[in-house]
Amino acid sequence: MPVSGRFLFLKMVIKQLLKVQTHYKKRNKPMRQIFTFLAVILLTANTYSQVVIGTTTPDASSLLEVTSTAKGVLLPRMTATQRDAISSPATGLMIYQTDGTVGFYYYNGSSWANVGYTDALVSANTDVAANTAKVGYTDELVSANTDVAANTLKVSYTQPIYTVNTFYAELGGYVIQISPNGKHGLVVAMQDQGISTWYGANDLLSNPSNHDADGKEFLDWRLPTKRELNLMYVVYNNGNGASLNATYYCSSTEIDINNAWNQYFPDGSQVNDNKDRTYFVRAVRAF
């Protein structure tokens, strides 16, 4: 029965029960108590029944069901100030805010929260940009997205092939040795890192300020070995693409506790000398 019909019926029944109760008021106390009990039962039963608007066949699981194809449910509308003035709001309480960030809000137990996220709300968040293209993450989602084509070939990064005796900014220097597949090798820095004893050389190499704009991006520079020094000399003697100087360069290769190898680039000779002597320092790195 629709709610309006239920209340009319309840009103009529209670009215009749009250008349009967009045009739027995002075004559029969037990009977008066019975009628009072029946009125309470009817009131309680109707109070806890379904509230139905717009249909005569409500779903059995609903406490309130509103059915319409022409109208909607209108929740309380108020400003943010009026919303915040609600005393002790219950968790789950919902309103429609008419100013500020307009929309539906619910009380989550500690604060008022906006219902859902929109592109406008996400765009307003400085940490998240609105996903206007609705880009997905699976082949199926991407294939269905008109803004993005599915990566059916599974294209991945292809490692470049490098050539010896060539400068590469992305490697930080000049290639002086290359592997058979051209993907790995050794580069020398494009400038000297300073003058130092053997013991202080690594401090110069590890300081980015001693490298050019490309070299300072890398932290794995080291002293060249005796063999690698000779590779540098070959470059120096064949066009000098690495801008090496006509001087002594020190290596990391030790002879004993007090001496290490160095190379004199004007003639290519390699000699051993005391680690306490100062030499020019030029770094190398593997890739």
Side-chain angles (χ1 to χ4, degrees), residues 132-135 142-149:
T132 55
K134 308 299 186 297
V135 178
V142 175
S143 296
N145 188 334
T146 57
D147 297 316
V148 180

Side-chain angles (χ1 to χ4, degrees), residues 65 68-69 72 74 118 130 175 183 221 226 232 266 284:
E65 182 169 338
S68 176
T69 59
L74 192 60
T118 64
V175 176
K183 297 181 179 180
W221 293 108
K226 178 184 175 184
M232 292 165 56
V284 296

Side-chain angles (χ1 to χ4, degrees), residues 45-167:
N46 193 78
T47 299
Y48 287 93
S49 63
Q50 291 174 297
V51 178
V52 181
I53 300 174
T55 182
T56 58
T57 57
D59 189 278
S61 64
S62 68
L63 180 64
L64 168 65
E65 182 169 338
V66 180
T67 303
S68 176
T69 59
K71 297 181 179 181
V73 176
L74 192 60
L75 292 179
R77 293 163 291 175
M78 62 186 71
T79 65
T81 300
Q82 293 169 328
R83 178 202 69 188
D84 293 339
I86 297 175
S87 178
S88 301
T91 299
L93 188 68
M94 181 176 287
I95 60 95
Y96 184 85
Q97 184 175 306
T98 57
D99 65 348
T101 303
V102 175
F104 289 101
Y105 284 78
Y106 70 97
Y107 192 73
N108 61 19
S110 59
S111 62
W112 288 96
N114 189 280
V115 177
Y117 283 93
T118 64
D119 283 347
L121 285 174
V122 177
S123 295
N125 188 333
T126 57
D127 296 322
V128 182
N131 183 15
T132 55
K134 308 299 186 297
V135 178
Y137 295 97
T138 65
D139 284 346
E140 292 77 10
L141 287 174
V142 175
S143 296
N145 188 334
T146 57
D147 297 316
V148 180
N151 182 16
T152 55
L153 296 179
K154 305 296 186 299
V155 178
S156 59
Y157 169 76
T158 301
Q159 187 173 354
I161 303 299
Y162 297 104
T163 304
V164 72
N165 296 325
T166 306
F167 168 74

Side-chain angles (χ1 to χ4, degrees), residues 32-45:
R32 185 173 71 249
Q33 293 175 336
I34 291 174
F35 281 113
T36 301
F37 177 73
L38 289 175
V40 172
I41 291 296
L42 284 173
L43 180 61
T44 302

Side-chain angles (χ1 to χ4, degrees), residues 31 159 257 259:
M31 186 62 71
Q159 187 173 354
I257 192 171
N259 299 283

